[in-house]
Amino acid sequence: MNSKSKYVAVPYLAWMVIFIVVPLALIGVFAFTTTVTCDMEGNMLTDEEIAEYEAYCEEEGIEPEYTERTIFTVQNILDVSKYSSVLINSAWLALIATVICLVIAYPLAYMISRMFYSRQKLALMLVMLPMWMNFLLRTYAWMTLLEKNGLINKFFGLFGIGPFDMINTQGAVVLGMVYNYLPFMILPLYSVMTKIDDRTIEAAQDLGANGLQVIWRVVVPLSMPGVATGITQVFVPSVSTFIISRMLGGGTNMLIGDLIDLQFLGNAYNPNLGAAISLVLMVFIFLCMSITNQLDNEDMEGVLL
Amino acid sequence: MKKIANKLYIALVFIFLYAPIFVLIANSFNESKSRTVWTGFTFDWYVKLFNNEVILKSLGNTLIIAAVAATISTILGTAAAIGIYNMKKITRSLVINITYIPIMNSEMVTGVSLMLLFVALHIDLGYLTLIIAHITFCVPYVILNVLPKLRQMNRNLYDAALDLGCNPWQAFRHVIIPEIMPGIVTGFLMSITYSIDDFVISYFTHGSTSQTLPITIYSMTRRKVSPEVNALSAIIFVVVLVVLLIMNFNDLRRTKPKKKKEAAR
């Protein structure tokens, strides 16, 4: 192939610019602008002036006429801070879900990676199967279980305890996140752990490491890239979900995702504010990613040394 | 003792993963509309499901959109990968980094950004916008699957084909394509899967008549009780199970002879 073959990428480059770069730029544009009402000469009107003008029009029996102008503003970004409790809550719940996923997935991935080859395949298939079902159905399944007279409360009822309020709580939202994204933690962990040679572990044991030391000083450092990938793959969808919180949180536990949805397709229609929140969310996600990448790289260097 | 503890742990995690799904499936045969009282066995919900035109139409939409989006993504992405492979280092890393954005970014931000674009361009939300959106998040998967195959390929193969009298198209068709075929197939299959499964991006880019199955499922779950969703889950579960079993079976068949050879050595 020669340097001319690079031109076959041109259709994609055009696509990439129009449908990846421009839309992201639009989010930036919307986030930093707002639409103001102006008179026919294009002068900005204050709320009082509009009220005055409308009263005048009503008296005279004419239709009020306006033009609209888009102006630069940082107000939207400042307004995002009004919702800081929602942002903090989202990040907090996503963090808890990520930690729980890591704690559940880490031993499981290790155990699977030490099984016989055919067993490994079966176990992986069982991990992936729920992942292939639509997440709406998986979340819906928990609605059934967590309800006031749902199966779990019936089960507790057999022992004469409960019923507990489980659905529409923050705990239910975290549970939904853990349930939906657990496979995304297991798979990357498994894929790095399966590459750890049995002989490496045996060598550590021969050199006098006990079980805990083998895990902590050999397996954990070698699996760091998987941990970093797993954390990103669980945290990013958790922090920006809007369906799990709506279905299991009952709409009372609003997350960033719900807030954005509300600005674009909900009652609080305000695409400028929505874009500002999206921008904040995006910057936050990429910041988190660069931190996890850092963690991954540093540890890799440590291993190489 | 340790082994039993391990097995118990694995069993517990799998119970956690599967119990909710099995409850759904069991409920799909429950005569009662209530999700907690068992009144008798029935296939009624399945019959209702297959007579539900909204569901059937959205299923059709999902399949058509997935097929169109995955096909276009595969062609666009394969061409892109070949082009990117031949770019200078700086342009290449720039293009690859931008290509990663839809994969790394939150689906919600991607969906919202595309919606803003369509609204700004005055394109009515519908089939066209859905297909564009699906292609946009599928192409990166094709590119990232084809690029490694190109890197593994011997660069001289193409020149050798030209020396042996192929014209560039023939060399491409008979030498390069077969070399990168596994990457193209994986990219295509991933595109199909992601397209069928996507809810969030479709949610922001669909029109009122172009609902896909996940969007229909969403509106069904908004109503508190809808046993048809249970029946649908059961069917999807069985379909996914069959697909995975076939894939696994093929995989085992392919790897088994290799294992024997290794043992022989």
CSV table of all heavy atoms in Angstrom, one decimal, chain B residues 188-230:
chain,number,residue,atom,x,y,z
B,188,PHE,N,-18.2,-6.0,12.3
B,188,PHE,CA,-19.6,-6.1,11.9
B,188,PHE,C,-20.5,-6.7,12.9
B,188,PHE,O,-21.6,-6.1,13.3
B,188,PHE,CB,-19.7,-6.9,10.6
B,188,PHE,CG,-21.1,-7.1,10.0
B,188,PHE,CD1,-21.7,-6.1,9.3
B,188,PHE,CD2,-21.8,-8.3,10.2
B,188,PHE,CE1,-23.0,-6.2,8.8
B,188,PHE,CE2,-23.1,-8.4,9.7
B,188,PHE,CZ,-23.7,-7.4,9.0
B,189,LEU,N,-20.1,-7.8,13.6
B,189,LEU,CA,-20.9,-8.4,14.6
B,189,LEU,C,-21.1,-7.5,15.8
B,189,LEU,O,-22.2,-7.4,16.4
B,189,LEU,CB,-20.3,-9.7,15.0
B,189,LEU,CG,-20.4,-10.8,14.0
B,189,LEU,CD1,-19.7,-12.1,14.5
B,189,LEU,CD2,-21.8,-11.1,13.5
B,190,MET,N,-20.0,-6.8,16.2
B,190,MET,CA,-20.1,-5.9,17.3
B,190,MET,C,-21.1,-4.8,17.0
B,190,MET,O,-21.9,-4.4,17.8
B,190,MET,CB,-18.8,-5.3,17.7
B,190,MET,CG,-17.9,-6.2,18.5
B,190,MET,SD,-16.3,-5.5,18.8
B,190,MET,CE,-16.5,-4.6,20.3
B,191,SER,N,-21.0,-4.3,15.7
B,191,SER,CA,-21.9,-3.2,15.3
B,191,SER,C,-23.4,-3.6,15.4
B,191,SER,O,-24.2,-2.9,16.0
B,191,SER,CB,-21.6,-2.7,13.9
B,191,SER,OG,-20.3,-2.3,13.8
B,192,ILE,N,-23.7,-4.8,14.9
B,192,ILE,CA,-25.0,-5.4,15.0
B,192,ILE,C,-25.5,-5.4,16.4
B,192,ILE,O,-26.6,-4.9,16.8
B,192,ILE,CB,-25.1,-6.8,14.4
B,192,ILE,CG1,-24.9,-6.7,12.9
B,192,ILE,CG2,-26.4,-7.5,14.8
B,192,ILE,CD1,-26.1,-7.0,12.1
B,193,THR,N,-24.6,-6.0,17.3
B,193,THR,CA,-25.0,-6.2,18.7
B,193,THR,C,-25.3,-4.8,19.4
B,193,THR,O,-26.3,-4.6,20.0
B,193,THR,CB,-23.9,-6.9,19.5
B,193,THR,OG1,-23.3,-7.8,18.6
B,193,THR,CG2,-24.4,-7.6,20.7
B,194,TYR,N,-24.3,-3.9,19.2
B,194,TYR,CA,-24.5,-2.6,19.9
B,194,TYR,C,-25.7,-1.9,19.3
B,194,TYR,O,-26.4,-1.2,20.1
B,194,TYR,CB,-23.3,-1.7,19.7
B,194,TYR,CG,-22.2,-2.1,20.7
B,194,TYR,CD1,-21.0,-2.7,20.2
B,194,TYR,CD2,-22.3,-2.0,22.0
B,194,TYR,CE1,-20.0,-3.1,21.1
B,194,TYR,CE2,-21.3,-2.4,22.9
B,194,TYR,CZ,-20.2,-2.9,22.4
B,194,TYR,OH,-19.2,-3.3,23.3
B,195,SER,N,-26.0,-2.0,18.0
B,195,SER,CA,-27.1,-1.3,17.4
B,195,SER,C,-28.4,-1.9,18.0
B,195,SER,O,-29.3,-1.1,18.3
B,195,SER,CB,-27.0,-1.4,15.9
B,195,SER,OG,-28.2,-0.9,15.3
B,196,ILE,N,-28.5,-3.2,18.0
B,196,ILE,CA,-29.8,-3.8,18.5
B,196,ILE,C,-30.0,-3.4,20.0
B,196,ILE,O,-31.1,-3.1,20.4
B,196,ILE,CB,-29.7,-5.3,18.4
B,196,ILE,CG1,-29.8,-5.7,16.9
B,196,ILE,CG2,-30.9,-6.0,19.1
B,196,ILE,CD1,-29.7,-7.2,16.7
B,197,ASP,N,-28.9,-3.4,20.8
B,197,ASP,CA,-29.1,-3.2,22.2
B,197,ASP,C,-29.2,-1.7,22.6
B,197,ASP,O,-29.6,-1.4,23.7
B,197,ASP,CB,-27.8,-3.8,22.9
B,197,ASP,CG,-28.1,-4.1,24.3
B,197,ASP,OD1,-29.2,-4.7,24.6
B,197,ASP,OD2,-27.3,-3.8,25.2
B,198,ASP,N,-28.8,-0.8,21.7
B,198,ASP,CA,-28.8,0.6,22.1
B,198,ASP,C,-30.1,1.2,22.6
B,198,ASP,O,-31.1,1.1,21.8
B,198,ASP,CB,-28.2,1.5,21.0
B,198,ASP,CG,-28.2,2.9,21.4
B,198,ASP,OD1,-27.4,3.3,22.3
B,198,ASP,OD2,-29.0,3.7,20.9
B,199,PHE,N,-30.1,1.8,23.7
B,199,PHE,CA,-31.3,2.6,24.1
B,199,PHE,C,-31.0,4.0,24.2
B,199,PHE,O,-31.7,4.9,23.7
B,199,PHE,CB,-31.8,2.1,25.5
B,199,PHE,CG,-32.9,3.0,26.0
B,199,PHE,CD1,-34.1,3.0,25.5
B,199,PHE,CD2,-32.5,3.8,27.1
B,199,PHE,CE1,-35.1,3.9,26.0
B,199,PHE,CE2,-33.5,4.7,27.6
B,199,PHE,CZ,-34.8,4.7,27.1
B,200,VAL,N,-29.9,4.4,24.9
B,200,VAL,CA,-29.7,5.8,25.3
B,200,VAL,C,-29.6,6.7,24.1
B,200,VAL,O,-30.3,7.7,24.0
B,200,VAL,CB,-28.5,6.0,26.2
B,200,VAL,CG1,-28.2,7.4,26.6
B,200,VAL,CG2,-28.7,5.1,27.5
B,201,ILE,N,-28.7,6.4,23.1
B,201,ILE,CA,-28.5,7.2,22.0
B,201,ILE,C,-29.8,7.3,21.1
B,201,ILE,O,-30.2,8.3,20.7
B,201,ILE,CB,-27.3,6.8,21.2
B,201,ILE,CG1,-26.0,7.0,22.1
B,201,ILE,CG2,-27.1,7.6,19.9
B,201,ILE,CD1,-24.8,6.5,21.5
B,202,SER,N,-30.4,6.1,21.0
B,202,SER,CA,-31.7,6.1,20.2
B,202,SER,C,-32.8,6.9,20.9
B,202,SER,O,-33.6,7.6,20.2
B,202,SER,CB,-32.2,4.6,20.1
B,202,SER,OG,-31.3,3.8,19.6
B,203,TYR,N,-32.8,6.9,22.2
B,203,TYR,CA,-33.8,7.7,22.9
B,203,TYR,C,-33.7,9.2,22.5
B,203,TYR,O,-34.8,9.8,22.4
B,203,TYR,CB,-33.5,7.5,24.4
B,203,TYR,CG,-34.4,8.3,25.4
B,203,TYR,CD1,-35.6,7.9,25.6
B,203,TYR,CD2,-33.9,9.4,26.0
B,203,TYR,CE1,-36.4,8.6,26.5
B,203,TYR,CE2,-34.6,10.2,26.9
B,203,TYR,CZ,-35.9,9.7,27.2
B,203,TYR,OH,-36.7,10.5,28.0
B,204,PHE,N,-32.5,9.7,22.3
B,204,PHE,CA,-32.4,11.1,22.0
B,204,PHE,C,-32.5,11.4,20.5
B,204,PHE,O,-32.7,12.5,20.1
B,204,PHE,CB,-31.1,11.7,22.5
B,204,PHE,CG,-31.0,11.9,23.9
B,204,PHE,CD1,-30.4,11.0,24.8
B,204,PHE,CD2,-31.7,12.9,24.5
B,204,PHE,CE1,-30.4,11.1,26.1
B,204,PHE,CE2,-31.7,13.1,25.9
B,204,PHE,CZ,-31.0,12.2,26.7
B,205,THR,N,-32.4,10.4,19.6
B,205,THR,CA,-32.4,10.6,18.2
B,205,THR,C,-33.6,10.0,17.4
B,205,THR,O,-33.6,10.0,16.2
B,205,THR,CB,-31.1,10.1,17.6
B,205,THR,OG1,-30.9,8.8,18.0
B,205,THR,CG2,-29.9,11.0,18.0
B,206,HIS,N,-34.5,9.4,18.1
B,206,HIS,CA,-35.6,8.7,17.4
B,206,HIS,C,-36.8,9.7,17.3
B,206,HIS,O,-36.9,10.6,18.0
B,206,HIS,CB,-36.1,7.4,18.1
B,206,HIS,CG,-36.9,7.7,19.3
B,206,HIS,ND1,-38.3,7.6,19.3
B,206,HIS,CD2,-36.7,8.1,20.6
B,206,HIS,CE1,-38.8,7.9,20.4
B,206,HIS,NE2,-37.9,8.2,21.2
B,207,GLY,N,-37.6,9.4,16.2
B,207,GLY,CA,-38.8,10.2,16.1
B,207,GLY,C,-40.0,9.4,16.6
B,207,GLY,O,-39.9,8.2,17.0
B,208,SER,N,-41.2,10.0,16.5
B,208,SER,CA,-42.3,9.3,17.1
B,208,SER,C,-42.8,8.0,16.4
B,208,SER,O,-43.4,7.1,17.0
B,208,SER,CB,-43.5,10.3,17.2
B,208,SER,OG,-43.7,10.9,16.0
B,209,THR,N,-42.4,7.9,15.1
B,209,THR,CA,-42.8,6.7,14.4
B,209,THR,C,-41.7,5.7,14.2
B,209,THR,O,-41.9,4.6,13.7
B,209,THR,CB,-43.4,7.1,13.0
B,209,THR,OG1,-42.3,7.8,12.3
B,209,THR,CG2,-44.6,7.9,13.0
B,210,SER,N,-40.5,6.1,14.6
B,210,SER,CA,-39.3,5.2,14.3
B,210,SER,C,-38.8,4.6,15.6
B,210,SER,O,-37.7,4.6,15.9
B,210,SER,CB,-38.2,6.0,13.6
B,210,SER,OG,-37.9,7.1,14.5
B,211,GLN,N,-39.7,4.1,16.4
B,211,GLN,CA,-39.3,3.5,17.7
B,211,GLN,C,-38.6,2.2,17.5
B,211,GLN,O,-39.0,1.4,16.6
B,211,GLN,CB,-40.5,3.2,18.5
B,211,GLN,CG,-41.2,4.4,19.0
B,211,GLN,CD,-42.1,4.1,20.2
B,211,GLN,OE1,-42.5,3.0,20.4
B,211,GLN,NE2,-42.3,5.1,21.0
B,212,THR,N,-37.5,2.0,18.2
B,212,THR,CA,-36.8,0.7,18.2
B,212,THR,C,-37.3,-0.1,19.4
B,212,THR,O,-38.0,0.4,20.2
B,212,THR,CB,-35.3,0.9,18.3
B,212,THR,OG1,-35.0,1.5,19.5
B,212,THR,CG2,-34.7,1.7,17.1
B,213,LEU,N,-36.9,-1.4,19.4
B,213,LEU,CA,-37.4,-2.3,20.4
B,213,LEU,C,-37.1,-1.8,21.8
B,213,LEU,O,-38.0,-1.7,22.7
B,213,LEU,CB,-36.9,-3.7,20.2
B,213,LEU,CG,-37.6,-4.8,21.0
B,213,LEU,CD1,-39.1,-4.8,20.8
B,213,LEU,CD2,-37.0,-6.1,20.8
B,214,PRO,N,-35.8,-1.4,22.1
B,214,PRO,CA,-35.5,-0.9,23.5
B,214,PRO,C,-36.4,0.3,23.9
B,214,PRO,O,-36.8,0.4,25.0
B,214,PRO,CB,-34.1,-0.5,23.4
B,214,PRO,CG,-33.5,-1.4,22.3
B,214,PRO,CD,-34.6,-1.5,21.3
B,215,ILE,N,-36.7,1.2,22.9
B,215,ILE,CA,-37.6,2.3,23.2
B,215,ILE,C,-39.0,1.9,23.6
B,215,ILE,O,-39.6,2.4,24.5
B,215,ILE,CB,-37.5,3.3,22.1
B,215,ILE,CG1,-36.1,4.0,22.1
B,215,ILE,CG2,-38.6,4.4,22.3
B,215,ILE,CD1,-35.9,4.8,20.9
B,216,THR,N,-39.5,0.9,22.8
B,216,THR,CA,-40.8,0.3,23.1
B,216,THR,C,-40.8,-0.3,24.5
B,216,THR,O,-41.7,-0.2,25.3
B,216,THR,CB,-41.2,-0.7,22.1
B,216,THR,OG1,-41.1,-0.1,20.8
B,216,THR,CG2,-42.7,-1.1,22.2
B,217,ILE,N,-39.7,-1.1,24.8
B,217,ILE,CA,-39.6,-1.7,26.1
B,217,ILE,C,-39.7,-0.7,27.2
B,217,ILE,O,-40.4,-0.8,28.2
B,217,ILE,CB,-38.3,-2.5,26.2
B,217,ILE,CG1,-38.3,-3.7,25.3
B,217,ILE,CG2,-38.1,-3.0,27.6
B,217,ILE,CD1,-37.0,-4.5,25.2
B,218,TYR,N,-38.9,0.4,27.0
B,218,TYR,CA,-38.9,1.5,27.9
B,218,TYR,C,-40.3,2.0,28.2
B,218,TYR,O,-40.8,2.1,29.4
B,218,TYR,CB,-38.0,2.7,27.5
B,218,TYR,CG,-38.0,3.9,28.4
B,218,TYR,CD1,-37.6,3.8,29.7
B,218,TYR,CD2,-38.5,5.1,27.9
B,218,TYR,CE1,-37.6,4.9,30.5
B,218,TYR,CE2,-38.6,6.2,28.7
B,218,TYR,CZ,-38.1,6.1,30.0
B,218,TYR,OH,-38.1,7.2,30.8
B,219,SER,N,-41.1,2.3,27.1
B,219,SER,CA,-42.4,2.8,27.4
B,219,SER,C,-43.3,1.8,28.0
B,219,SER,O,-44.3,2.2,28.7
B,219,SER,CB,-43.0,3.4,26.1
B,219,SER,OG,-43.0,2.4,25.1
B,220,MET,N,-43.1,0.5,27.8
B,220,MET,CA,-43.9,-0.5,28.5
B,220,MET,C,-43.5,-0.6,29.9
B,220,MET,O,-44.4,-0.8,30.8
B,220,MET,CB,-43.6,-1.9,27.8
B,220,MET,CG,-44.3,-2.0,26.4
B,220,MET,SD,-43.8,-3.5,25.6
B,220,MET,CE,-44.9,-4.7,26.3
B,221,THR,N,-42.3,-0.5,30.3
B,221,THR,CA,-41.9,-0.6,31.7
B,221,THR,C,-42.4,0.7,32.5
B,221,THR,O,-42.4,0.6,33.7
B,221,THR,CB,-40.4,-0.7,31.9
B,221,THR,OG1,-39.7,0.3,31.3
B,221,THR,CG2,-39.9,-2.0,31.4
B,222,ARG,N,-42.7,1.8,31.8
B,222,ARG,CA,-43.2,2.9,32.5
B,222,ARG,C,-44.5,2.6,33.1
B,222,ARG,O,-44.9,3.2,34.1
B,222,ARG,CB,-43.3,4.1,31.5
B,222,ARG,CG,-42.0,4.6,30.9
B,222,ARG,CD,-41.0,5.1,31.9
B,222,ARG,NE,-41.4,6.4,32.4
B,222,ARG,CZ,-41.0,6.9,33.6
B,222,ARG,NH1,-40.2,6.2,34.4
B,222,ARG,NH2,-41.3,8.1,33.9
B,223,ARG,N,-45.3,1.8,32.4
B,223,ARG,CA,-46.6,1.4,33.0
B,223,ARG,C,-46.2,0.3,34.0
B,223,ARG,O,-45.3,-0.5,33.7
B,223,ARG,CB,-47.5,0.8,31.9
B,223,ARG,CG,-48.2,1.8,31.1
B,223,ARG,CD,-49.1,1.2,30.0
B,223,ARG,NE,-48.3,1.2,28.8
B,223,ARG,CZ,-48.2,0.1,28.0
B,223,ARG,NH1,-48.7,-1.0,28.4
B,223,ARG,NH2,-47.5,0.2,26.9
B,224,LYS,N,-46.8,0.4,35.2
B,224,LYS,CA,-46.2,-0.5,36.2
B,224,LYS,C,-46.2,-1.9,35.9
B,224,LYS,O,-45.2,-2.6,36.1
B,224,LYS,CB,-47.0,-0.2,37.5
B,224,LYS,CG,-46.5,1.0,38.3
B,224,LYS,CD,-45.3,0.5,39.2
B,224,LYS,CE,-44.5,1.8,39.7
B,224,LYS,NZ,-43.3,1.4,40.3
B,225,VAL,N,-47.4,-2.5,35.4
B,225,VAL,CA,-47.4,-3.9,35.2
B,225,VAL,C,-47.6,-4.2,33.7
B,225,VAL,O,-48.6,-3.7,33.1
B,225,VAL,CB,-48.6,-4.5,36.0
B,225,VAL,CG1,-48.6,-6.0,35.8
B,225,VAL,CG2,-48.6,-4.1,37.4
B,226,SER,N,-46.7,-4.9,33.1
B,226,SER,CA,-46.9,-5.3,31.7
B,226,SER,C,-46.3,-6.7,31.5
B,226,SER,O,-45.1,-6.8,31.2
B,226,SER,CB,-46.4,-4.3,30.7
B,226,SER,OG,-45.1,-4.0,31.1
B,227,PRO,N,-47.1,-7.8,31.7
B,227,PRO,CA,-46.6,-9.1,31.6
B,227,PRO,C,-46.0,-9.4,30.2
B,227,PRO,O,-45.2,-10.4,30.1
B,227,PRO,CB,-47.8,-10.0,31.9
B,227,PRO,CG,-48.8,-9.1,32.4
B,227,PRO,CD,-48.5,-7.7,31.9
B,228,GLU,N,-46.4,-8.7,29.2
B,228,GLU,CA,-45.8,-8.9,27.9
B,228,GLU,C,-44.3,-8.7,27.9
B,228,GLU,O,-43.5,-9.4,27.2
B,228,GLU,CB,-46.4,-8.0,26.8
B,228,GLU,CG,-47.8,-8.5,26.4
B,228,GLU,CD,-48.7,-7.3,26.1
B,228,GLU,OE1,-48.7,-6.4,26.9
B,228,GLU,OE2,-49.3,-7.3,25.1
B,229,VAL,N,-43.8,-7.8,28.7
B,229,VAL,CA,-42.4,-7.5,28.8
B,229,VAL,C,-41.7,-8.8,29.4
B,229,VAL,O,-40.6,-9.2,28.9
B,229,VAL,CB,-42.1,-6.3,29.8
B,229,VAL,CG1,-40.6,-6.2,30.0
B,229,VAL,CG2,-42.6,-5.1,29.2
B,230,ASN,N,-42.3,-9.5,30.3
B,230,ASN,CA,-41.8,-10.7,30.8
B,230,ASN,C,-41.6,-11.7,29.7
B,230,ASN,O,-40.6,-12.4,29.6
B,230,ASN,CB,-42.7,-11.3,31.9
B,230,ASN,CG,-42.8,-10.4,33.1
B,230,ASN,OD1,-42.0,-9.5,33.3
B,230,ASN,ND2,-43.9,-10.6,33.8
